[in-house]
Amino acid sequence: MGELNTLTGLFRSRRRALPVLLAVLSVLPTLSYASGYIYRYLDDNGNVVVGHSIPAEYVDNGYEMLNSDYSVYKEFAPAPTAEEIASRTEAQKARIVAEREAERLQQWDESLLLRYSSIEDIEAARERALSELQIRISILKGNVRSLKAQVENNQTRAADVERRGGEVPEEILSAIDALRYEIDEAEKNIIERSREKEEVYAGFERDIGRFEQLLEKVEIRRRYSRSALE
């Protein structure tokens, strides 16, 4: 009878110990990760989730790595959206364009200051360049007049042959074709040189405008220096 009571007591004590044992077992997974990190993130419903791992589909949404005491160890920002990436790309492009423009202006300014000391110098250089181009145009126009005269001369020879009832020699016809080709090429060159003349004039005008800006900057610095000394 005493043995039966003893067994019953042991059984009852084990039943009382079972909830405690289960509680301990439930804590064991957490304890086993005590030396690792814990992740905190938002699920699709906007709920905060804390766990020892994070599903791959939530990584791009941003998350936090926590220490075992739930203090934040490191934060990971959400991955940029397509719009944000496009905006950053445009900003980078704009910055690159701005940097290149600044470099171009610097090189332009240095070149102007090396070549010229006044606006009159630029105007004189412009007239020289335009004069050289005009000379080339005049030469080309003279060549065209000469070539056209040769064409007319060969055409007169061909007409004389035909009036006499003969057949125009191939050399005359070939000469006329060759002269007409040279005329076309010369007239194209005249058009190109005329366009170049306009571009050169416009380029010097830009140089003059930029040089005036440089002079204004120099004058402003001089005024500032004088006022500082006073």
Side-chain angles (χ1 to χ4, degrees):
M1 187 67 177
E3 293 178 358
L4 181 60
N5 291 335
T6 300
L7 291 174
T8 302
L10 288 173
F11 178 75
R12 288 176 179 174
S13 63
R14 289 179 181 178
R15 289 187 61 185
R16 287 195 300 270
L18 183 60
V20 177
L21 179 60
L22 292 175
V24 172
L25 290 175
S26 66
V27 174
L28 284 179
T30 302
L31 295 177
S32 65
Y33 285 97
S35 60
Y37 294 112
I38 305 169
Y39 297 91
R40 181 164 58 198
Y41 59 93
L42 295 177
D43 62 14
D44 292 334
N45 297 320
N47 299 319
V48 178
V49 180
V50 177
H52 294 286
S53 63
I54 176 173
E57 61 267 24
Y58 295 128
V59 171
D60 287 344
N61 296 334
Y63 59 93
E64 295 175 328
M65 289 180 64
L66 309 178
N67 294 307
S68 57
D69 60 354
Y70 292 92
S71 61
V72 177
Y73 167 71
K74 193 172 184 180
E75 294 184 5
F76 293 85
T81 63
E83 292 78 8
E84 290 173 337
I85 293 174
S87 178
R88 292 177 185 176
T89 301
E90 291 301 320
Q92 291 173 350
K93 289 180 180 178
R95 185 176 66 254
I96 292 172
V97 170
E99 291 174 352
R100 289 179 178 174
E101 178 62 13
E103 182 179 356
R104 183 187 72 83
L105 291 176
Q106 182 179 356
Q107 293 176 352
W108 188 10
D109 293 346
E110 292 175 353
S111 175
L112 289 174
L113 294 173
L114 284 173
R115 289 182 293 161
Y116 311 114
S117 58
S118 66
I119 292 178
E120 288 74 15
D121 289 345
I122 303 177
E123 292 174 341
R126 178 188 64 190
E127 295 308 315
R128 288 194 299 271
L130 294 176
S131 178
E132 291 175 0
L133 286 170
Q134 186 58 49
I135 291 172
R136 294 170 64 183
I137 292 173
S138 298
I139 293 173
L140 288 169
K141 287 181 176 180
N143 291 340
V144 169
R145 287 193 295 270
S146 175
L147 292 169
K148 286 183 176 180
Q150 294 180 52
V151 170
E152 291 178 358
N153 182 48
N154 280 283
Q155 288 175 335
T156 299
R157 291 172 57 195
D160 290 340
V161 172
E162 289 177 341
R163 278 195 298 270
R164 292 194 300 267
E167 184 176 352
V168 179
E170 183 63 30
E171 62 181 15
I172 295 178
L173 297 176
S174 298
I176 292 173
D177 289 340
L179 290 168
R180 285 174 174 169
Y181 176 80
E182 290 185 41
I183 291 171
D184 290 340
E185 291 299 310
E187 289 178 340
K188 289 178 182 177
N189 284 330
I190 290 173
I191 294 173
E192 291 177 1
R193 297 292 81 76
S194 299
R195 185 183 300 112
E196 184 179 352
K197 187 177 176 181
E198 294 176 355
E199 293 174 352
V200 167
Y201 183 86
F204 275 102
E205 286 298 298
R206 288 192 293 270
D207 285 347
I208 290 173
R210 186 64 184 178
F211 198 84
E212 288 176 342
Q213 293 179 12
L214 292 176
L215 292 179
E216 290 177 1
K217 291 180 180 179
V218 171
E219 183 61 27
I220 291 173
R221 289 176 181 174
R222 287 176 180 172
R223 292 176 183 175
Y224 179 80
S225 297
R226 285 198 298 266
S227 62
L229 291 174
E230 295 173 356

